[in-house]
Amino acid sequence: MRVLLVEDDELIANGVREALRRRAYQVDWVSNGRDALNAAIDNPFDLIILDLGLPGLDGLDVLSALRQHQKRTPAIVLSARGSTQNRIDGLNAGADDYLVKPFDLEELFARIHAVERRTSGAATNVLKMGEIELDLAAMSVLYQGIEVTLQRREFSLLKKLMESPRQVFTREQLEESLYGWTSDLGSNAIDVYVHNIRKKMYSDVIKTLRGVGYRIDPNLAN
Ligand code: CA
């Protein structure tokens, strides 16, 4: 999952960014409203974590402008503005959730998982397809009841495919989802991750559509 973090307080930004990375999220960070708006319009983020008091353009205006552009990327507001009216304004401007600073990282993750459940249509934090069970909160994967140890990006890739089981993803789409602006990336990185996942699961759970891309094995759903 690729996250746009919009926060002008460097200390908070670094803390959130590090916590997200540890849990296999790809994070890009901007510190003012204009950059946030441009980044969110131009890039396929899965989630925006949005401060409101920002230099340049207020977070609420960023949110309203995005929704006017028909950008539906889920957004969680993370703001010091804590009154009931502030929260109502945030949700009405298009936020999916609203968390008041100071906040607890575990609560932020619980809310992120709630957004992920809504995105994927899952009722719990565990995505299931056939004999694969992927636990978003515990970051663990079971295949045929046995724990599979995946690296962070392997986990992210499998999650991305399982969240949209009918979709075929191009290599480019998967790269965009797994990497941000700053990462340098070997040209065959995605193929390597796919290879590793298949090897660790002793199964062809990810199908290659030659010349098109990858998808999760549709037969798993049966
Ligand atoms: Ca701020």
Side-chain angles (χ1 to χ4, degrees):
M1 185 183 236
R2 188 173 169 194
V3 180
L4 177 64
L5 173 63
V6 186
E7 174 60 74
D8 62 326
D9 182 321
E10 203 171 329
L11 212 59
I12 296 176
N14 283 336
V16 172
R17 195 159 52 154
E18 197 41 47
L20 283 163
R21 282 186 180 155
R22 275 201 303 272
R23 301 200 192 191
Y25 295 88
Q26 175 56 45
V27 194
D28 290 311
W29 171 42
V30 293
S31 56
N32 70 68
R34 292 269 162 218
D35 287 350
L37 186 56
N38 291 333
I41 287 173
D42 292 341
N43 297 274
F45 288 103
D46 301 297
L47 173 69
I48 302 169
I49 298 177
L50 180 68
D51 181 25
L52 295 185
L54 292 166
L57 189 63
D58 191 84
L60 272 188
D61 296 326
V62 173
L63 201 49
S64 304
L66 277 179
R67 298 313 184 218
Q68 274 161 26
H69 274 85
Q70 301 299 319
K71 273 276 174 185
R72 296 194 178 88
T73 315
I76 299 177
V77 167
L78 201 54
S79 173
R81 298 177 195 163
S83 74
T84 303
Q85 191 58 49
N86 291 145
R87 293 197 297 267
I88 291 170
D89 292 344
L91 294 167
N92 281 340
D96 296 82
D97 204 346
Y98 196 109
L99 192 55
V100 177
K101 294 173 182 171
F103 62 98
D104 186 298
L105 272 174
E106 287 308 315
E107 183 176 1
L108 175 62
F109 280 107
R111 288 168 189 258
I112 291 172
H113 295 324
V115 168
E116 290 176 305
R117 288 198 301 271
R118 285 199 290 275
T119 304
S120 65
T124 70
N125 280 336
V126 179
L127 294 182
K128 268 191 198 179
M129 274 199 73
E131 294 182 292
I132 307 180
E133 294 179 37
L134 185 145
D135 189 321
L136 297 171
M139 266 190 69
S140 62
V141 177
L142 293 180
Y143 183 60
Q144 298 180 328
I146 296 165
E147 176 133 22
V148 180
T149 308
L150 297 183
Q151 288 180 1
R152 282 191 297 187
R153 286 203 165 116
E154 294 163 0
F155 180 86
S156 299
L157 175 60
L158 184 63
K159 180 166 98 177
K160 181 83 184 166
L161 295 173
M162 287 178 68
E163 280 171 345
S164 303
R166 283 179 200 83
Q167 190 176 337
V168 177
F169 290 91
T170 64
R171 191 182 278 109
E172 191 184 20
Q173 285 172 322
L174 293 172
E175 284 171 357
E176 275 182 347
S177 149
L178 262 63
Y179 290 87
W181 301 318
T182 49
S183 314
D184 52 340
L185 167 68
S187 60
N188 63 346
I190 299 295
D191 309 83
V192 172
Y193 295 140
V194 168
H195 170 83
N196 290 347
I197 293 168
R198 286 175 179 153
K199 203 167 120 192
K200 288 177 178 181
M201 295 178 126
Y202 301 100
S203 173
D204 234 0
V205 293
I206 298 172
K207 292 293 178 195
T208 306
L209 284 87
R210 210 165 286 282
V212 186
Y214 295 107
R215 67 172 298 182
I216 200 84
D217 180 0
N219 295 320
L220 286 173
N222 300 331

